[in-house]
Amino acid sequence: RLWNDVATENPFDRSLLPLMECLGSSTVVCGLNYQPWALETFEMAMSTIEACAIVIAHEDDPEDADEDMTDPIVCAVDLIDGLAEGLGPNFAGLVNGSARFGPTFANMLQ
């Protein structure tokens, strides 16, 4: 809930970084036991990446994006990596279960 409230207002809020890092580690340790929260976590991580990427793309020179702008993307990707590692083969089902990001997730990996 905290993540949703803060990220909706400001996806660059640095208070989200430790939360995402902690969740990334937790998903690896919990493995399949994390499934009840996996879809919401995946969608919030993807939403963070999307929101930050949109803001960076609208900068005068996107190549000049500093760490404050890219750190949330890195943490969100680390969290998705933790989900993939923790859920193992079930990660594909998680992605397919996301109506918003499932159909396009594979394209983002290229």
Side-chain angles (χ1 to χ4, degrees):
R1 177 111 174 104
L2 168 70
W3 185 1
N4 189 30
D5 293 344
V6 173
T8 300
E9 186 176 320
N10 178 10
F12 297 103
D13 189 316
R14 296 195 69 78
S15 68
L16 296 174
L17 303 182
L19 174 62
M20 286 190 278
E21 291 293 338
C22 179
L23 283 174
S25 298
S26 297
T27 58
V28 173
V29 173
C30 291
L32 295 177
N33 292 323
Y34 194 80
Q35 279 186 306
W37 306 279
L39 182 60
E40 182 180 6
T41 302
F42 174 74
E43 290 188 343
M44 286 304 302
M46 291 295 294
S47 294
T48 299
I49 294 169
E50 179 183 56
C52 292
I54 288 170
V55 170
I56 291 170
H58 286 91
E59 287 289 307
D60 291 332
D61 187 4
E63 295 294 320
D64 288 339
D66 61 8
E67 286 181 5
D68 287 338
M69 297 181 88
T70 57
D71 280 350
I73 294 173
V74 172
C75 288
V77 168
D78 285 346
L79 175 50
I80 292 170
D81 180 60
L83 283 167
E85 187 176 338
L87 298 177
N90 292 352
F91 181 73
L94 168 71
V95 172
N96 290 333
S98 173
R100 182 171 178 196
F101 298 108
T104 58
F105 184 75
N107 294 333
M108 291 182 56
L109 300 176
Q110 298 176 5

